[in-house]
Amino acid sequence: MKIVKGWFLASALTLVAGEAPAADPGCIVVQNVAEMEQLTSDAAGKQSVKLVPATKVVPGDTVIYTVKFRNRCDKPADNVSVDNPVPEHMVYVADSAIGPNTDVSFSVDGGYHFGKPETLRKKDADGTERAARANEYTSIRWVMRHALAAGAEGYARFRAVLE
Amino acid sequence: MTRLQLALASCLVLLVARPAFAAGTPAGTIIPNTAQVTYTVGGSQVTTPSNTNTITVDERLDVVVTLQSPPLPVQGGDTRRGLLLRVTNIGNGDEVFSLAMTSAIAGDDFDPIPSIPAIYFDTDASGDLSAADTPYVAGSNDPLLVADAFVTVIVANDIPTGLVNGAIGRTRLTATSKTGAGPPGAIFAGLGKTGVNAVVGVSGGVANAVGVYVVSDVSLSNVKSATVQDPFGGSEPVPGARITYQIVVAATGTGTAANAVLDDPIPANTTFVAGSLRLNAVALSDAADADAGEFIAGASPAIRVRLGSLAAAAGNQTIVFQVTIN
């Protein structure tokens, strides 16, 4: 949990910098970050991976999108759900959507319908219907199983590859 | 292994197993992303959008060179023998490439001698070196290729003399990104298309392909002999005498003569004996049909035998036919 609090310190700084000037942020404060894994080697040649902001990418790079949210009110928020579209030119990485205490569903029609992977269908060019593939998902929805308590926080994350 | 180490190991795999995309999203593309959170507090529903984060696509420097020609049969002393190659920009932005050829490659039997000039563009798209093809001049007409585009290049070499049949000589064409080459992931800040960074891709921004010359000499020899049988049991070439011609064809050298055909005219003042044509003692019909031989009638009568692809290993091919003296 210590690490999670560290994230929110960063998010508060970003808000001060004026990146997300919502008129009335309401009870839940939202921050969306795009990051990449960076492989580094220290002097001894030991390698480690850290997340760095993904401002610049090249085709084939994997980007990790994380939506962080926090209930800043003194009462719980119910029915919390997070929607995040898979951006144009990006392809969702199968099984990469995660979020503590959430049920994840997907859309293949731009966020109109959401469903579990096994319920999603796509039509081929010749009109035959088949199960949708993970690389065809257009949006992802995370629904929290419980209320988000006052002061509590959570996140919803997925990976996508730049085409 | 701790959980952290496991996580690191899986991340490493992800980085190494980066798929090779052809071209991909164009350099300079801007990719925005905005999420939203919906919830209810005190019975009322609220939707809050996130900040929009924006990613700019950098230029990836990647190139591939592919050989288009099969090993080229050559003979000692040949000049300006061309091999066809293709240079393709598999990065995601416009890029200029420099070209270089070397024929001093270890491990082959001889070094082809670069012609002057040695690199041409296949300007007329003929697939071989011809007068219309533009010579490449480094720094002057370096090819500019948009993402996924290719240019067809011919490298030309002269073949030294005194080589044995079957000897192999190699030549290499190298294409290098003019923005820069280096280890994959190296960054040339601001040097990409529209001022984005240029990042070296898996090719390292440089690629090559090697073409092959094979010394492949083949020659066909034929030896013709005649025997005469006169109507009186002798061998005088008198009217009515029958002449049996025998032609022995053989290939020498390491190569293969493709579609070898023997045509032999019927001598003046003689008449072909119907049904007398033989190849290796097997009768061939006079008609132009599925078998290997035929008699061609007309003003210039001749016999024709199709020997197919002929190499030294096939040995002697013996053709026999008869004529009578008019």
Side-chain angles (χ1 to χ4, degrees):
Chain A
M1 289 314 278
K2 214 170 190 177
I3 295 169
V4 176
K5 275 182 183 153
W7 283 354
F8 278 90
L9 183 58
S11 93
L13 287 172
T14 310
L15 285 170
V16 169
E19 267 194 27
D24 174 10
C27 275
I28 293 189
V29 185
V30 188
Q31 195 208 4
N32 182 15
V33 296
E35 294 168 308
M36 294 176 70
E37 288 173 337
Q38 189 179 64
L39 187 65
T40 53
S41 310
D42 63 15
K46 190 176 178 235
Q47 294 186 318
S48 59
V49 172
K50 62 175 182 178
L51 291 182
V52 297
T55 50
K56 303 242 173 189
V57 295
V58 292
D61 278 344
T62 299
V63 176
I64 301 162
Y65 286 98
T66 308
V67 177
K68 303 166 185 177
F69 50 93
R70 178 175 61 93
N71 183 358
R72 60 177 197 161
C73 293
D74 56 6
K75 49 195 169 187
D78 297 312
N79 307 317
V80 176
S81 75
V82 177
D83 282 7
N84 203 359
V86 178
E88 194 183 354
H89 303 296
M90 306 287 301
V91 177
Y92 171 71
V93 175
D95 302 324
S96 67
I98 54 167
N101 301 312
T102 61
D103 289 319
V104 183
S105 56
F106 301 92
S107 171
V108 291
D109 59 7
Y112 190 69
H113 283 108
F114 283 87
K116 290 288 174 190
E118 59 272 20
T119 68
L120 298 173
R121 312 290 291 172
K122 280 287 271 189
K123 275 185 180 169
D124 275 327
D126 63 3
T128 50
E129 208 177 70
R130 56 168 173 77
R133 304 182 187 107
N135 61 11
E136 294 169 329
Y137 297 167
T138 58
S139 295
I140 308 166
R141 173 172 285 174
W142 292 258
V143 178
M144 286 201 73
R145 298 187 191 112
H146 318 293
L148 187 65
E153 52 206 17
Y155 67 91
R157 169 179 284 179
F158 72 98
R159 292 168 179 265
V161 174
L162 178 64
E163 289 183 301
Chain B
M1 203 183 233
T2 66
R3 172 171 277 188
L4 176 63
Q5 282 171 323
L6 274 171
L8 288 178
S10 73
C11 295
L12 287 172
V13 170
L14 275 170
L15 284 171
V16 172
R18 170 181 295 176
F21 284 79
T25 307
T29 303
I30 290 168
I31 301 177
N33 173 254
T34 310
Q36 64 177 36
V37 176
T38 304
Y39 57 97
T40 54
V41 172
S44 58
Q45 192 180 63
V46 183
T47 295
T48 304
S50 74
N51 58 300
T52 297
N53 63 51
T54 302
I55 292 173
T56 306
V57 178
D58 279 341
E59 179 175 346
R60 195 190 57 204
L61 305 173
D62 255 337
V63 60
V64 66
V65 181
T66 48
L67 180 67
Q68 307 291 302
S69 298
L72 183 66
V74 293
Q75 297 191 334
D78 282 358
T79 58
R80 284 166 40 88
R81 297 304 307 269
L83 289 169
L84 200 65
L85 299 106
R86 177 178 285 185
V87 177
T88 306
N89 177 7
I90 55 169
N92 63 338
D94 301 353
E95 187 61 25
V96 178
F97 296 94
S98 61
L99 306 177
M101 190 194 88
T102 177
S103 297
I105 297 176
D108 55 5
D109 301 319
F110 70 95
D111 286 339
I113 304 159
S115 307
I116 300 172
I119 304 174
Y120 295 80
F121 297 107
D122 188 17
T123 312
D124 61 359
S126 63
D128 52 25
L129 189 55
S130 44
D133 293 336
T134 308
Y136 166 73
V137 181
S140 168
N141 61 354
D142 295 324
L144 166 66
L145 300 175
V146 301
D148 256 357
F150 66 85
V151 62
T152 307
V153 172
I154 296 167
V155 296
N157 285 276
D158 300 344
I159 308 302
T161 54
L163 299 169
V164 298
N165 285 338
I168 284 174
R170 295 190 170 93
T171 188
R172 177 191 294 128
L173 178 73
T174 302
T176 307
S177 167
K178 292 272 275 190
T179 299
I187 294 172
F188 297 97
L191 293 183
K193 189 183 183 187
T194 65
V196 300
N197 291 338
V199 181
V200 177
V202 289
S203 70
V206 56
N208 70 73
V210 174
V212 177
Y213 296 100
V214 182
V215 175
S216 181
D217 289 321
V218 64
S219 60
L220 293 181
S221 63
N222 69 76
V223 178
K224 188 172 182 179
S225 58
T227 53
V228 181
Q229 268 185 305
D230 66 36
F232 318 109
S235 58
E236 291 303 314
V238 296
R242 180 172 289 204
I243 307 172
T244 301
Y245 289 108
Q246 175 177 279
I247 305 162
V248 178
V249 179
T252 53
T254 58
T256 299
N259 301 318
V261 176
L262 179 97
D263 278 2
D264 198 43
I266 306 302
N269 302 316
T270 68
T271 302
F272 175 72
V273 176
S276 66
L277 187 58
R278 305 277 186 278
L279 171 61
N280 297 330
V282 176
L284 301 175
S285 71
D286 294 344
D289 52 19
D291 71 18
E294 68 208 51
F295 169 67
I296 302 166
S300 308
I303 57 98
R304 169 172 294 172
V305 179
R306 289 175 292 273
L307 299 167
S309 294
L310 205 54
N316 289 347
Q317 306 295 307
T318 304
I319 295 151
V320 172
F321 66 96
Q322 296 179 328
V323 299
T324 52
I325 299 175
N326 298 343

